[in-house]
């Protein structure tokens, strides 16, 4: 009998409603507080985003749903569409600079190395008196 | 050194971090439990980052266009999964959130025939297979420890053999010439490089607290580490240039000015090291600059590879000249220089080969392990190899050492005989008259190259004969 109870514990409709009314409202307030200009600044929004994630997980636990699930996916896709549509794909992860900056950084020492080699070969020739 | 081998060290770091707490913070073996929010903020941060990127990707990627059933793209709590056709298993690399997850292993997810993601039979929830991520971790940890200790032993052996070689070079003043001076500088740079590497391996790698605190000192250590790496290879280049000038350009005239060599060997490597430091600080300022996932490392490795290539071509040119032009004219000298070049010719490819084969780590586990061992030996036992080939296997130095040894032996023998017996003078007389003959015969092999050494030892023999007769 108790298997039957736990199997029907997660009501998807309820879950959907609750995350929209509790978690999303909180998130909306925070994001308004941050200001639309800074929505694409990951350092500013990471805390609020994390809280939103926490909130959906907690409600899932409350309602005996497993997390994440299809509703969570749809929910977050909608959130992203609304708030992060125009942002570049950033994140706190470090990445290399763009190729336009990286290539000169790499090619310059190589060229200087070759120049220095030529210089040393030339100077050691000259120091013998052999030109 | 280079990306893949540094990633070995990264694995070592990750696995060493695992030692105090041998389990991850999430019980992933429990099939019913999907990843929930963990307390550890660093791990949680990484997971939130990945989640954000995943939903961004899901938002922007175009909808599934192919025909047939498919499973929708999803975020499973740890990794992002794309639209997958029905009946297929999709896989990607394990995440690196937890210390016992190996990012080179694969996590998989099965999309069944009906177009739904696989549900675990026990819990009936959507489940991805992360079991491979930490299943081999104990063996990998063992191997990582073996490689780590191998590296430390290699560098310690290198320092020892290089210091012995330096002692030999400084003691036998008669050996010294310009080429030996260059050897001394090369060995010295190897000693410093090994010291910095050992400092890095002992102080920084097993110390995640230090890495987390990220003091300036560990970045300074990295800067010097990169500088010494450059010095190593640029001194090899100086050796090549010296030989080239000596043989090809000036044809055995001695006495070049060594100032430019000192500049290239000690001064110039500051340039790539500084540029790397600036670029790293500005664009990829991770903790202690330990990450090897960045192309910025090529700022140092690019010039090193260029130096190796240039060196190799110089040496090929030298061999060409020695073989073709000088064979007939300067026979004796060309043999001697051929021997000198032989040592450098063996070393340059050996030192450079790690840069060539590094990108091709085999996928197979056993072959990968063998590859790791070989690469570690090539990288960390270089100092020992250089000392052996340039010093211990050098005929001149072996001869000088042998002479010194026999000199000591006769001196001890003399003192012992003087001490032990005052009566059996006939015995001492005969044994002393034998000694000069022995020395003379012994040195006749080296007569060709080292005429003056034969004279020295004869003088020694004569002196010993005089004092005791």
């Amino acid at each position: 009998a108790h298997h039957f109870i736990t199997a029907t514990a997660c009501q998807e409709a309820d879950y959907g409603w609750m995350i929209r009314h509790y978690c999303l409202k909180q998130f909306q307030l925070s994001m308004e507080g941050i200001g639309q200009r800074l929505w694409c600044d990951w350092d500013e929004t990471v805390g609020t985003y994390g809280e939103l994630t926490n909130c959906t997980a907690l409600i899932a636990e409350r309602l005996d749903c497993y997390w994440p699930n299809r509703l969570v996916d749809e929910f977050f896709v909608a959130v992203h569409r609304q708030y992060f549509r125009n942002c570049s794909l950033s994140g706190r992860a470090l990445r290399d600079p763009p190729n336009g900056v990286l290539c000169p950084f790499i090619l310059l020492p190589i060229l200087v190395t070759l120049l220095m080699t030529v210089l040393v070969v030339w100077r050691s020739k000259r120091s013998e008196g052999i030109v | 050194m280079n990306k893949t081998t540094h990633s070995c060290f990264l694995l070592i770091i990750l696995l060493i971090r695992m030692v105090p707490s041998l389990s991850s913070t999430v019980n992933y073996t429990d099939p019913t439990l999907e990843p929930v929010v963990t307390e550890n903020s660093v791990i949680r941060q990484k997971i939130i980052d990945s989640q954000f990127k995943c939903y961004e990707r899901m938002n922007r990627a175009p909808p599934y266009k192919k025909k047939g059933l498919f499973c929708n793209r999803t975020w499973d709590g740890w990794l992002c999964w794309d639209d997958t056709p029905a009946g297929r298993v999709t896989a990607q690399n394990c995440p690196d959130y937890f210390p016992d997850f190996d990012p080179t292993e694969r996590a998989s997810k099965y999309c069944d025939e009906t177009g739904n993601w696989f549900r675990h039979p026990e819990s009936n929830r959507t489940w991805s297979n992360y079991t491979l991520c930490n299943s081999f971790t104990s063996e990998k940890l063992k191997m990582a420890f073996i490689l780590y200790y191998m590296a430390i032993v290699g560098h310690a052996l290198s320092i020892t053999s290089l210091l012995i070689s330096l002692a030999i070079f400084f003691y036998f003043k008669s050996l010294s010439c310009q080429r030996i001076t260059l050897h001394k500088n090369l060995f010295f740079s190897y000693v410093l490089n090994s010291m910095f590497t050992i400092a890095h391996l002992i102080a920084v790698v097993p110390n995640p607290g230090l890495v987390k605190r990220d003091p300036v000192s560990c970045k300074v250590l990295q800067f010097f580490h990169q500088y010494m790496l450059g010095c190593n290879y640029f001194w090899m280049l100086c050796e090549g240039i010296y030989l080239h000038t000596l043989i090809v350009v000036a044809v055995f005239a001695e006495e070049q000015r060594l100032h430019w060599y000192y500049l290239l060997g000690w001064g110039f490597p500051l340039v790539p090291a500084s540029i790397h430091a600036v670029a790293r600080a500005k664009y990829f300022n991770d903790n202690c600059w330990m990450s090897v996932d960045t192309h910025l490392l090529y700022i140092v490795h690019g010039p090193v590879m260029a130096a190796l290539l240039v060196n190799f071509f110089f040496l090929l040119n030298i061999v060409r000249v020695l073989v073709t032009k000088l064979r007939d004219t300067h026979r004796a000298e060309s043999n001697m220089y051929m021997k000198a070049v032989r040592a450098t010719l063996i070393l340059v490819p050996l030192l450079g080969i790690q840069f060539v084969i590094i990108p091709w780590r085999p996928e197979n586990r056993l072959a990968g392990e063998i590859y790791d061992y070989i690469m570690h030996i090539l990288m960390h036992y270089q100092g020992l190899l250089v000392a052996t080939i340039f010093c211990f296997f050098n005929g001149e130095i072996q001869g000088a050492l042998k002479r010194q040894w026999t000199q000591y032996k006769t001196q001890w023998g003399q003192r012992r005989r003087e001490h032990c017996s005052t009566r059996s003078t006939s015995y001492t007389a005969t044994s002393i008259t034998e000694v000069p003959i022995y020395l003379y015969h012994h040195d006749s092999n080296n007569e060709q190259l080292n005429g003056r050494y034969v004279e020295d030892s004869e003088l020694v023999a004569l002196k010993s004969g005089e004092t005791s007769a």
Side-chain angles (χ1 to χ4, degrees):
Chain A
H2 54 273
H3 288 299
F4 181 70
I5 292 169
T6 50
T8 57
C10 182
Q11 301 287 348
E12 292 202 336
D14 289 344
Y15 182 68
W17 185 89
M18 286 188 80
I19 54 177
R20 267 179 201 83
H21 275 82
Y22 293 121
C23 305
L24 189 59
K25 284 277 175 350
Q26 189 64 35
F27 182 72
Q28 276 169 344
L29 283 172
S30 300
M31 290 297 267
E32 309 261 313
I34 290 173
Q36 189 163 359
R37 230 174 10 94
L38 292 176
W39 283 354
C40 283
D41 188 341
W42 181 233
D43 283 331
E44 295 286 326
T45 56
V46 62
T48 317
Y49 191 82
E51 278 169 23
L52 178 65
T53 310
N54 273 357
C55 177
T56 55
L58 279 170
I59 293 187
E61 201 186 318
R62 236 10 114 60
L63 293 184
D64 262 341
C65 299
Y66 57 81
W67 188 94
N69 54 54
R70 191 180 50 87
L71 290 171
V72 169
D73 279 348
E74 286 169 11
F75 175 73
F76 271 102
V77 166
V79 164
H80 275 250
R81 211 171 277 151
Q82 187 182 351
Y83 288 92
F84 304 116
R85 174 186 287 254
N86 297 323
C87 299
S88 59
L89 260 187
S90 64
R92 296 273 290 279
L94 294 164
R95 63 167 51 84
D96 282 340
N99 278 348
V101 174
L102 187 65
C103 287
F105 261 122
I106 294 179
L107 287 175
L108 182 68
I110 294 180
L111 284 173
V112 177
T113 303
L114 294 171
L115 272 169
M116 269 299 288
T117 311
V118 168
L119 183 70
V120 172
V121 172
W122 179 61
R123 289 303 306 185
S124 54
K125 252 169 68 168
R126 281 210 31 179
S127 66
E128 312 255 354
I130 298 167
V131 178
Chain B
M1 305 284 153
N2 220 323
K3 283 178 79 171
T4 321
T5 39
H6 268 207
S7 71
C8 285
F9 273 114
L10 198 64
L11 180 66
I12 294 174
I13 297 160
L14 287 174
L15 294 174
I16 286 174
R17 264 209 310 229
M18 171 189 149
V19 170
S21 57
L22 272 167
S23 59
S24 64
T25 51
V26 173
N27 190 2
Y28 45 81
T29 51
D30 181 348
T32 61
L33 196 67
E34 276 294 334
V36 294
V37 176
T38 73
E39 314 81 36
N40 185 323
S41 60
V42 173
I43 296 177
R44 196 172 150 250
Q45 201 51 53
K46 280 195 204 167
I47 297 179
I48 296 274
D49 281 345
S50 304
Q51 178 184 321
F52 184 85
K53 288 203 194 100
C54 180
Y55 284 119
E56 277 295 290
R57 218 169 106 191
M58 280 166 65
N59 214 357
R60 287 160 202 254
Y64 189 74
K65 287 204 178 51
K66 298 185 200 152
K67 290 197 172 35
L69 288 172
F70 67 97
C71 297
N72 279 314
R73 54 192 77 166
T74 182
W75 164 252
D76 71 355
W78 278 342
L79 287 175
C80 206
W81 302 94
D82 289 330
D83 298 321
T84 311
R88 188 173 321 170
V89 176
T90 173
Q92 55 177 300
N93 284 332
C94 293
D96 64 347
Y97 311 135
F98 307 108
D100 50 346
F101 267 30
D102 178 9
T104 64
E105 289 286 356
R106 307 278 277 173
S108 58
K109 202 167 171 69
Y110 176 57
C111 178
D112 65 19
E113 321 290 346
T114 63
N116 294 311
W117 289 111
F118 171 75
R119 285 170 182 266
H120 198 280
E122 278 177 40
S123 60
N124 202 30
R125 59 188 298 169
T126 318
W127 186 79
S128 317
N129 188 355
Y130 287 99
T131 53
L132 283 180
C133 297
N134 74 328
S135 51
F136 301 117
T137 314
S138 52
E139 287 107 26
K140 288 194 186 154
L141 185 69
K142 234 185 344 175
M143 195 175 123
F145 267 115
I146 292 176
L147 288 176
Y148 174 76
Y149 288 124
M150 226 168 87
I152 293 187
V153 163
H155 281 287
L157 273 178
S158 297
I159 291 182
T160 317
S161 57
L162 288 164
L163 286 176
I164 293 175
S165 310
L166 276 171
I168 292 176
F169 284 147
F170 278 109
Y171 182 70
F172 289 104
K173 297 247 181 321
S174 49
L175 285 174
S176 83
C177 56
Q178 284 192 324
R179 189 148 182 263
I180 298 288
T181 309
L182 292 184
H183 284 351
K184 285 182 200 165
N185 279 285
L186 177 72
F187 286 16
F188 194 50
S189 87
Y190 265 99
V191 167
L192 287 176
N193 187 24
S194 290
M195 281 185 188
F196 275 109
T197 308
I198 287 187
H200 185 252
L201 282 177
I202 291 183
V204 179
V205 167
N207 195 349
L210 179 75
V211 177
K212 204 163 148 197
R213 267 186 298 122
D214 190 22
V216 179
S217 55
C218 76
K219 291 187 178 160
V220 170
L221 184 67
Q222 265 290 14
F223 168 75
F224 279 112
H225 197 204
Q226 302 290 342
Y227 168 65
M228 292 320 307
L229 181 77
C231 281
N232 267 356
Y233 288 95
F234 278 97
W235 270 110
M236 282 302 300
L237 178 64
C238 287
E239 298 250 357
I241 295 178
Y242 176 81
L243 279 176
H244 186 261
T245 309
L246 192 63
I247 295 172
V248 176
V249 175
V251 194
F252 309 133
E254 280 274 337
E255 298 316 302
Q256 304 173 32
R257 265 192 316 185
L258 294 182
H259 303 145
W260 290 99
Y261 294 105
Y262 282 114
L263 185 67
L264 183 63
W266 291 120
F268 178 70
L270 279 173
V271 171
S274 315
I275 297 182
H276 170 260
V278 164
R280 209 63 197 254
K282 198 155 178 253
Y283 292 107
F284 205 100
N285 199 4
D286 60 321
N287 289 11
C288 279
W289 290 345
M290 275 179 70
S291 169
V292 298
D293 274 330
T294 169
H295 286 96
L296 291 175
L297 275 175
Y298 283 115
I299 295 177
V300 172
H301 293 161
V304 163
M305 287 193 259
L308 276 170
L309 224 65
V310 165
N311 210 6
F312 194 60
F313 281 121
F314 273 157
L315 289 170
L316 285 179
N317 198 22
I318 290 171
V319 170
R320 178 185 68 86
V321 165
L322 280 176
V323 167
T324 60
K325 292 186 185 167
L326 297 176
R327 196 170 35 191
D328 303 312
T329 51
H330 298 94
R331 208 175 199 133
E333 286 100 339
S334 85
N335 268 338
M336 186 164 70
Y337 284 102
M338 189 60 116
K339 285 195 186 130
V341 172
R342 184 179 61 194
T344 316
L345 248 184
I346 293 174
L347 266 181
V348 169
L350 267 177
L351 296 182
I353 207 168
Q354 73 193 61
F355 287 98
V356 173
I357 71 176
I358 243 186
W360 294 300
R361 186 173 192 276
E363 293 291 331
N364 181 3
R365 279 213 28 237
L366 182 63
E369 278 182 27
I370 296 175
Y371 170 93
D372 281 336
Y373 278 116
I374 293 179
M375 289 306 297
H376 266 74
I377 290 175
L378 272 180
M379 277 187 350
H380 302 297
Y381 289 75
Q382 270 181 21
L384 180 63
L385 193 67
V386 166
T388 310
I389 291 186
F390 272 151
C391 179
F392 301 137
F393 281 0
N394 185 329
E396 280 186 32
I397 293 171
Q398 283 178 344
L401 282 171
K402 274 188 207 148
R403 267 189 301 281
Q404 191 72 10
W405 176 240
T406 46
Q407 194 179 331
Y408 279 143
K409 262 200 336 195
T410 54
Q411 283 178 3
W412 290 334
Q414 259 188 334
R415 274 193 230 116
R416 202 184 58 228
R417 284 185 219 106
E418 284 170 3
H419 177 73
C420 289
S421 159
T422 49
R423 274 172 294 158
S424 54
T425 46
S426 56
Y427 169 76
T428 51
T430 49
S431 57
I432 284 167
T433 50
E434 279 167 13
V435 165
I437 298 168
Y438 167 74
L439 273 178
Y440 184 73
H441 279 309
H442 190 71
D443 286 326
S444 58
N445 304 334
N446 299 321
E447 203 174 7
Q448 181 197 1
L449 288 173
N450 305 299
R452 43 178 200 241
Y453 300 127
V454 178
E455 286 174 1
D456 282 345
S457 52
E458 277 184 330
L459 273 174
V460 166
L462 283 173
K463 272 198 215 139
S464 63
E466 278 174 8
T467 51
S468 53

